[in-house]
Amino acid sequence: MAGTTRGGDMTVSWEDVRSWNPAEVSVLAQRVKDSASALTDHADESARLLEQLDWHGPAADAARSAVLSIRGDLVNRAQVLLTVGRCVEEASTSMYPLVSTVRRCTADATEHTMDVEPDGTVVDALPVYTAAAADAWSIGRDRLRHRREIQARVTESIRRATELDDRIASELRAAQAGAGTISAGTTSTETTGAGTIASLDVSEQSPASNAAFWESSTPADRTALLVRDPGRIGNLDGIPAGVRDAANRRMLTLERTRLREVADDLRKRLDHNVFGGLFDNADVGLEQTEKRLKALDAVSETLALGNRQLLVLDNSSGEDTLAAIAVGNVDTATHVAVFVPGLGSDVEGDIGRYDGDMESLEAVAEDAVSPPDTVACVTWMNYEAPHTGWSVLDPNRSVAGATAAVVGAARLRTFLDGLDASRRSDPHLSLVGHSYGSLTAAHAVRGAESAGVDDMVVVGSPGLGVGTVHELSVPPGHLFVGEAADDIVADLGAFGADPNSLDGVRTLPTGAEGDLDASNRHSQYFTDGTTSQHAVALVVAGRGNEVG
C-alpha cells in the first residue's frame, strides 16, 4: 500500500486505492499462512526424528538441546509469520468493499462526464450549453449536486482507505517486531468494529459520505454496527432504506422494553411517595414515558400493515418521538414522494392517519405509472411540528414563528439528500407539504442545490417564506400549489406571500371534476376520490405536465 505525505502524515491517495487488487493480496495472505504452517511442520518433524534417534552421550544431549532450541525459535517465527498472514488477509477482506466503492465513484463520474483527479478532486468536465434557460438551470443544479455527492464519496473512500492502511501497517510492524499476535479466533469485526463506529460522527458526515462509509464497510463490520448501535445506523441519512428499516425495527423493540422498565420504576416511586411527584417530578416523567410508549405503539401498528419501511425512529432528541415510515420500497421505487405534515401533528396521534393517506396516494400513483415503474410514499414526521395551546409561548414550537420549520428543514434536507445518495440511480423525487409542513418543506429546498427535488407540491399553505419561486431549488414549472375554496389557513399569508400569487407556480385543481369530488376545508387534500389527491398522484408519478 503506497502513500503520499501531506502535512507530515502518510495519506493513501486516490490513485493508490484505484490500484489495489484485493484478490492478489488474498493470494499473498494464503501463501504466507501456508509458509507459516510448513515452517511449523518442519520444526515438529525435526523434533520427532530426534526423539526416535537411538543416540546417547554428551554429543547426543547437545544435539537434542540445539535442535529443540532451534525448533522453539522456528515455532515463534512461524507464529509471527502466521500473524503477518492474518493481517494481510484482513487487509484483503477490507479492501474488497473499498475497491468496489472506488470503482462506483469512478463509474458515476464517467457517467456524468466528470473526472476524478489523482488527488481525489472531482472536476466537472462538461459545461452546460442549452438554448432553454429552464433546462440550463435544472441541468446545472443536478450536475452540481452530482459533483458534490461524488466528491463526498471520494473523500470518504480516501479517509477509510487511509484508516485501513494505517491500522494494517501498525499491526504488521508489531508482528515483525514479534510483539503482536492475532489469536486464531480473531476476525475483522472484533479488531475493527468498535473503531469503525467510533470513527463515524453522524453530525459531521454528509449523506453521500455516509453512503460511501456503508458501501466500503465489510459485511462483518456492518453486522457489528447494526448490533452495537442500531439507533445510530437507523437514522443515518445515506444508508439504504432496507438497512435503516432493519436497524430501526430492532431499536423499536429495545426502546419499548427500556421505556416499560422506566415506567414501572416511576410507578413504584409514586406508589411509595406520599407526596406523589411533588418533589422529584416522577409524575411528569411517567406521563412523558407513557406518551412515548403510545407513540412507539402507533409506529408498531402502522408497520404491522405490511409493505412498510421504518426510515427514522428518534426517541431522544426532542420532546416528542419522531419517525418516518414509507409505504413501498424506497430503495427500488422509480418515484418517491416525501410528505411533510404541519400544525398539531405528532407520531402518537397522527402517524396512522397520515400513513393511510400515503398508502392511498401510493396506490393512485401506481395506477398512473407504467410497469416496471413503482412508487413509494414517505410520511416524514422527523421534526417537532408546532402545536396550539401553551406551545404558542415557546418560540421553538410556536405556530406564529418559523423556527420549528427552519430547524425541521435542516433534518429534511439531509433526509432528501440521503434518498439519492443511498441508491445507485436517483429516483424521481417529489416533496409534498401540507399546512405548516409546506413552510418546512420550502426551507428545506431554499437555496439547497443538493436536495435533488424534482417536483414540489404544497397544499393548504400559509406561506413558503419566500417572495419568488426562484428562491427555491425546484426546477422551473415544477412547483404546484393547491388551495381548497373554504381553506382559511391557505389564505392567511402568515409566512410571506400567498403561494398562489407567486409567478411560476402551477395551480393544483381542488374543485369537483367529472367523477372526482371537490377537496373541502383544510384537511381533505388527500381524501380518496378527490381532484387534489388525483392531481398530487399525477405529480408523484412524474406526470405533472398533465396537471393544471
Side-chain angles (χ1 to χ4, degrees):
M1 299 182 185
T4 57
T5 302
R6 296 180 182 176
D9 297 326
M10 289 296 291
T11 302
V12 175
S13 71
W14 178 252
E15 290 302 306
D16 291 335
V17 188
R18 288 189 63 182
S19 68
W20 284 1
N21 189 330
E24 291 184 355
V25 177
S26 179
V27 170
L28 172 63
Q30 188 59 50
R31 289 180 178 174
V32 171
K33 291 195 299 179
D34 290 344
S35 298
S37 179
L39 190 59
T40 301
D41 290 343
H42 289 319
D44 290 342
E45 180 64 21
S46 298
R48 283 193 297 271
L49 289 174
L50 190 61
E51 291 173 356
Q52 297 170 5
L53 185 63
D54 188 13
W55 182 26
H56 304 282
D61 293 341
R64 287 186 176 89
S65 177
V67 171
L68 291 176
S69 176
I70 294 174
R71 176 187 178 278
D73 183 60
L74 289 177
V75 170
N76 287 336
R77 290 181 179 275
Q79 181 60 43
V80 172
L81 194 60
L82 182 60
T83 299
V84 171
R86 287 175 175 162
C87 285
V88 176
E89 183 178 51
E90 179 189 342
S92 69
T93 300
S94 298
M95 285 168 67
Y96 273 108
L98 260 172
V99 169
S100 176
T101 302
V102 167
R103 288 173 178 170
R104 177 178 172 182
C105 289
T106 303
D108 287 350
T110 301
E111 178 184 348
H112 293 98
T113 324
M114 299 179 187
D115 296 323
V116 183
E117 300 293 328
D119 65 352
T121 302
V122 179
V123 178
D124 190 343
L126 180 66
V128 179
Y129 294 112
T130 179
D135 290 342
W137 186 94
S138 298
I139 294 172
R141 182 202 67 162
D142 290 343
R143 292 192 66 80
L144 177 60
R145 178 171 58 84
H146 287 309
R147 184 180 67 77
R148 288 177 174 173
E149 285 187 0
I150 296 171
Q151 182 66 74
R153 286 163 48 205
V154 166
T155 301
E156 176 64 14
S157 298
I158 294 174
R159 186 190 72 81
R160 292 298 306 282
T162 301
E163 186 181 74
L164 170 64
D165 195 83
D166 288 345
R167 186 179 73 249
I168 298 299
S170 177
E171 292 177 1
L172 287 172
R173 284 192 291 267
Q176 186 178 11
T181 58
I182 303 178
S183 64
T186 300
T187 65
S188 173
T189 301
E190 293 171 52
T191 57
T192 66
T196 297
I197 192 67
S199 68
L200 179 60
D201 188 340
V202 179
S203 63
E204 296 180 1
Q205 294 288 327
S206 70
S209 297
N210 294 336
F213 172 87
W214 186 257
E215 291 168 9
S216 59
S217 298
T218 64
D221 283 340
R222 293 178 183 180
T223 301
L225 290 165
L226 285 170
V227 171
R228 294 175 182 178
D229 204 346
R232 199 175 194 185
I233 295 300
N235 294 325
L236 198 59
D237 294 315
I239 301 296
V243 175
R244 296 178 69 167
D245 177 56
N248 283 324
R249 285 175 187 260
R250 172 176 168 78
M251 199 63 198
L252 180 63
T253 300
L254 294 174
E255 274 295 276
R256 179 181 284 108
T257 300
R258 182 184 71 83
L259 289 176
R260 283 174 177 169
E261 292 175 352
V262 171
D264 289 342
D265 180 66
L266 290 172
R267 290 190 189 97
K268 290 177 182 178
R269 286 168 55 184
L270 288 170
D271 289 343
H272 292 85
N273 189 339
V274 295
F275 297 102
L278 183 61
F279 296 111
D280 63 0
N281 290 323
D283 53 345
V284 176
L286 179 59
E287 181 182 359
Q288 182 67 16
T289 301
E290 290 178 337
K291 180 181 180 181
R292 289 192 184 278
L293 279 169
K294 290 178 181 178
L296 296 183
D297 289 341
V299 170
S300 295
E301 292 170 4
T302 303
L303 295 176
L305 297 174
N307 193 32
R308 302 297 197 276
Q309 291 178 321
L310 183 55
L311 303 182
V312 174
L313 182 65
D314 185 347
N315 211 26
S316 60
S317 65
E319 295 181 11
D320 299 329
T321 296
L322 307 177
I325 297 179
V327 179
N329 190 335
V330 172
D331 284 329
T332 59
T334 316
H335 307 272
V336 176
V338 178
F339 168 61
V340 186
L343 175 67
S345 58
D346 59 39
V347 171
E348 175 190 349
D350 300 300
I351 189 70
R353 173 167 61 92
Y354 289 136
D355 176 83
D357 288 341
M358 291 303 103
E359 182 178 41
S360 297
L361 183 65
E362 187 259 357
V364 177
E366 282 273 12
D367 288 340
V369 300
S370 300
D373 283 10
T374 55
V375 178
C377 294
V378 181
T379 301
W380 190 85
M381 302 183 73
N382 191 24
Y383 83 114
E384 294 188 289
H387 285 64
T388 54
W390 290 109
S391 294
V392 175
L393 302 179
D394 181 354
N396 294 321
R397 300 292 300 273
S398 176
V399 70
T403 301
V406 173
V407 173
R411 300 168 72 104
L412 177 57
R413 184 180 304 116
T414 59
F415 180 80
L416 296 171
D417 286 344
L419 294 180
D420 285 340
S422 65
R423 296 176 39 144
R424 181 67 179 175
S425 58
D426 292 347
H428 166 249
L429 182 59
S430 300
L431 180 58
V432 183
H434 172 245
S435 190
Y436 190 91
S438 67
L439 180 64
T440 304
H443 277 286
V445 296
R446 190 169 180 176
E449 297 89 348
S450 58
V453 172
D454 300 297
D455 285 294
M456 182 172 175
V457 176
V458 297
V459 290
S461 175
L464 304 179
V466 298
T468 67
V469 297
H470 304 297
E471 298 176 54
L472 304 177
S473 184
V474 178
H478 289 259
L479 174 60
F480 299 83
V481 177
E483 178 182 332
D486 51 359
D487 186 348
I488 59 174
V489 174
D491 289 323
L492 291 177
F495 302 100
D498 185 335
N500 272 315
S501 68
L502 299 177
D503 289 336
V505 303
R506 300 181 65 174
T507 301
L508 207 70
T510 58
E513 294 182 5
D515 295 334
L516 298 173
D517 298 328
S519 305
N520 297 315
R521 298 183 295 280
H522 185 61
S523 59
Q524 296 185 8
Y525 291 99
F526 303 102
T527 301
D528 283 341
T530 59
T531 53
S532 56
Q533 183 206 48
H534 178 71
V536 174
L538 286 177
V539 175
V540 171
R543 295 170 55 183
N545 60 311
E546 301 175 29
V547 175

